[in-house]
Amino acid sequence: MNSKKDLSERDIITKYILPAIENAGWDKQTQIREEVTFTDGRCGNAAGFGICGDT
């Protein structure tokens, strides 16, 4: 087996993270979403306040 350092991010998610979540009782169809975009633009930090959107 390869070292985890040799695996891609996607491989680690598929081989380790998703099985652990499913074994913890989560339903893959209703409780797990992958690669979801949640803003339309960049996110940053201005004067201690998080800002997101088209900036």
Side-chain angles (χ1 to χ4, degrees):
M1 180 165 165
N2 296 340
S3 165
K4 287 182 187 176
K5 290 183 178 184
D6 296 331
L7 298 174
S8 70
E9 178 181 4
R10 183 79 251 159
D11 289 336
I12 290 172
I13 291 168
T14 301
K15 293 179 183 206
Y16 298 102
I17 297 173
L18 285 176
I21 290 172
E22 290 172 355
N23 287 338
W26 288 48
D27 179 31
K28 188 174 184 178
Q29 298 300 316
T30 61
Q31 294 180 299
I32 301 172
R33 293 185 69 194
E34 297 183 60
E35 305 292 335
V36 178
T37 302
F38 58 91
T39 66
D40 290 334
R42 297 176 61 170
C43 290
N45 187 346
F49 297 97
I51 55 171
C52 292
D54 293 327
T55 56

